[in-house]
Amino acid sequence: MAEAKQWNVKQLDRIVQKMIDTVQHSKDEIFRIGEQSRQEHDHLFRELEEVKRLTVQAIEEADQLEMKARQARRHLSEVSQNFSIHSEQDIREAYEQAHGLHMKLTMVREREKQLRLRRDELERRLASLAQIIERADYLVGQITVVLNYLNSDFRQVGELIEGAKQKQEFGLKIIEAQEEERRRLSREIHDGPAQLLAHVLLRSDLVEKVIKERGPEAAIAEIRDFRKMVRSALSEVRRIIYDLRPMALDDLGLVPTLKKYLQTTEEYNKGVHISFVHIGEEIRLPSRMEAAVFRLVQESVQNALKHAEARHIDVKMEVTCRHLLVSVKDDGKGFDPSVKKENAFGLIGMRERVELLGGTLVIRSKLDGGTTVFIRVPLDRSTDETNKEERK
């Protein structure tokens, strides 16, 4: 029986390895498609800028020729009506001038038409390439989640979980939770630093052009704007890093970090008031407990802002001799706790964090009546001195 089980595990590992190789190959192909699309997008974007510039030139040239042609036709009409004053040579020259301007105007109008058609075609192709790039990035992110799962947790699922149904539910839960976090992080990077850095790249090309066409003074002004954009991108990167793991949590502890986080969140969300009250002794807790409690408060506050649309949020934390008590109360639209929502991985993650700490989580809410999250975590005072020594 043991030999059969061992053989099944080895067989499962071989299957998983084959899956990993296939998925990795698919990821490489999709990544290659995305990179090729980006290169073509950049090339077409530069061509579009040039076509737009030529179109403007053609429009201006056509307007000037139109004015000259109108004057030439008027002159031809005057010459034609006054044979006694003007000679046949004058009439011929007036006609040839009017005809020449008309032909030149026709050619410029045709060139303008072709440039407009090319511009529209480039804009359609750029829009299509943008969709391909976005889809490729999304698929690469999803496949990366699957690969991480296959390379780590899935190799041990055969031994830890009995039954195909349990394996599937466990795997899907991990994939959904990881994908949601990566999607959030990917969206923040794409909408923040990635966009700013792409704009910085374009502006850097513009600086060189400004130096050549408008002189050093205009270039210096462009460089100042360039610096502002770089600072903005750096600020966005620092904010994302802070969301991943606040460094102040290790240096200062839970209470100061929470104060700073709630203050920053209030500043980012105009019209929202967030209060924080700490009762009891301000002590350092085990590192994993501080990180878990910080994430619990962070998740509760973000739920109140994004889902409950709250305008007032009250956070209280109390340290007793045996427990850490935390409550997060908001005046949002609330929800019915008896109704089980699909894909509620935020609440599932919160409960799992509290259970890992040996604590309890209670959520009280009602429609249009706000929500209150109660967290109770046991404290082991005997570990305080050990924690101090570890931080030294």
Side-chain angles (χ1 to χ4, degrees):
M1 188 69 178
E3 291 179 0
K5 181 179 179 181
Q6 185 178 11
W7 182 85
N8 288 334
V9 171
K10 289 183 177 180
Q11 186 183 41
L12 179 61
D13 288 340
R14 286 195 295 270
I15 294 172
V16 171
Q17 186 59 50
K18 186 176 292 186
M19 290 169 61
I20 290 172
D21 295 339
T22 303
V23 173
Q24 181 65 52
H25 178 72
S26 300
K27 177 185 175 182
D28 294 341
E29 287 297 320
I30 294 173
F31 184 82
R32 193 176 298 111
I33 291 171
E35 287 302 306
Q36 291 174 350
S37 299
R38 280 191 181 86
Q39 293 175 6
E40 185 177 358
H41 185 280
D42 293 341
H43 173 74
L44 292 179
F45 182 84
R46 290 192 293 270
E47 183 180 350
L48 176 61
E49 292 297 310
E50 180 64 18
V51 169
K52 286 181 177 179
R53 185 183 67 81
L54 293 175
T55 303
V56 172
Q57 286 183 352
I59 293 172
E60 293 174 351
E61 185 179 353
D63 291 340
Q64 294 174 359
L65 287 172
E66 178 70 26
M67 187 181 303
K68 292 179 180 179
R70 194 180 300 115
Q71 293 173 352
R73 288 195 300 270
R74 191 181 305 115
H75 177 65
L76 176 61
S77 177
E78 292 173 357
V79 170
S80 300
Q81 293 174 3
N82 296 280
F83 287 100
S84 60
I85 301 175
H86 300 283
S87 64
E88 184 180 346
Q89 179 66 25
D90 293 335
I91 296 173
R92 185 182 299 109
E93 289 177 356
Y95 173 80
E96 289 177 353
Q97 182 184 16
H99 180 69
L101 287 171
H102 176 72
M103 293 299 296
K104 192 172 182 180
L105 176 61
T106 302
M107 293 174 60
V108 172
R109 290 294 189 197
E110 180 62 26
R111 175 153 51 90
E112 177 190 342
K113 179 182 176 182
Q114 295 301 321
L115 286 169
R116 288 179 183 273
L117 291 174
R118 180 57 178 168
R119 179 197 62 191
D120 295 342
E121 179 188 358
L122 288 172
E123 288 177 344
R124 286 193 296 270
R125 290 178 63 185
L126 283 171
S128 176
L129 285 171
Q131 292 180 350
I132 293 174
I133 293 169
E134 182 180 1
R135 184 62 178 167
D137 290 343
Y138 175 76
L139 289 175
V140 168
Q142 283 191 319
I143 293 175
T144 300
V145 173
V146 174
L147 281 173
N148 290 338
Y149 173 64
L150 291 174
N151 280 311
S152 57
D153 299 331
F154 196 83
R155 293 185 182 276
Q156 303 174 6
V157 168
E159 299 177 85
L160 299 177
I161 302 177
E162 295 180 4
K165 184 177 180 180
Q166 287 178 311
K167 292 179 188 177
Q168 184 182 28
E169 291 177 352
F170 182 75
L172 290 174
K173 180 179 175 183
I174 293 175
I175 289 177
E176 287 292 337
Q178 290 181 337
E179 184 182 356
E180 180 62 29
E181 181 64 16
R182 283 174 169 81
R183 187 185 296 120
R184 181 192 67 80
L185 183 58
S186 176
R187 185 167 54 248
E188 286 196 4
I189 294 175
H190 178 272
D191 294 342
Q195 295 286 353
L196 285 169
L197 291 174
H199 199 42
V200 163
L201 184 60
L202 292 175
R203 292 295 291 270
S204 65
D205 293 336
L206 183 61
V207 170
E208 182 178 355
K209 186 176 180 182
V210 169
I211 292 174
K212 294 178 180 178
E213 297 182 0
R214 295 163 53 192
E217 292 185 359
I220 290 173
E222 285 292 333
I223 291 173
R224 291 195 185 101
D225 292 339
F226 184 82
R227 288 174 178 168
K228 291 179 182 178
M229 293 172 60
V230 173
R231 291 193 188 100
S232 180
L234 181 60
S235 177
E236 282 293 311
V237 171
R238 285 174 174 168
R239 182 182 64 81
I240 293 173
I241 292 173
Y242 182 90
D243 287 341
L244 290 173
R245 172 73 182 189
M247 290 179 287
L249 196 61
D250 296 323
D251 299 332
L252 304 178
L254 180 60
V255 174
T257 305
L258 275 178
K259 286 181 181 178
K260 179 62 177 176
Y261 166 74
L262 296 174
Q263 179 184 353
T264 304
T265 303
E266 185 181 48
E267 293 172 356
Y268 268 94
N269 296 271
K270 303 299 182 183
V272 177
H273 176 69
I274 304 177
S275 67
F276 176 68
V277 176
H278 174 252
I279 303 172
E281 183 182 1
E282 186 174 326
I283 61 172
R284 294 304 303 268
L285 303 173
S287 178
R288 72 185 189 95
M289 180 180 291
E290 289 186 336
V293 173
F294 177 82
R295 293 304 183 196
L296 288 166
V297 174
Q298 185 182 43
E299 183 73 16
S300 301
V301 171
Q302 290 302 318
N303 286 340
L305 293 172
K306 293 181 180 179
H307 305 301
E309 300 175 357
R311 311 309 297 171
H312 290 83
I313 303 173
D314 298 319
V315 180
K316 295 182 181 179
M317 188 171 74
E318 180 179 1
V319 178
T320 68
C321 59
R322 305 184 69 177
H323 291 92
L324 172 67
L325 308 175
V326 179
S327 69
V328 181
K329 182 179 180 181
D330 67 70
D331 64 346
K333 57 187 180 182
F335 64 96
D336 186 357
S338 63
V339 178
K340 192 173 183 180
K341 296 183 179 180
E342 295 183 359
N343 301 326
F345 290 107
L347 295 178
I348 293 175
M350 291 176 65
R351 294 189 184 280
E352 288 180 349
R353 285 183 189 275
V354 174
E355 289 174 2
L356 287 173
L357 297 176
T360 57
L361 173 70
V362 177
I363 300 176
R364 294 177 184 170
S365 181
K366 60 180 180 179
L367 293 175
D368 299 324
T371 301
T372 304
V373 178
F374 296 97
I375 302 167
R376 182 186 180 96
V377 178
L379 295 179
D380 184 3
R381 292 297 187 130
S382 63
T383 61
D384 287 354
E385 293 301 324
T386 303
N387 294 330
K388 294 178 181 177
E389 290 297 327
E390 289 177 351
R391 289 188 174 91
K392 289 180 181 178

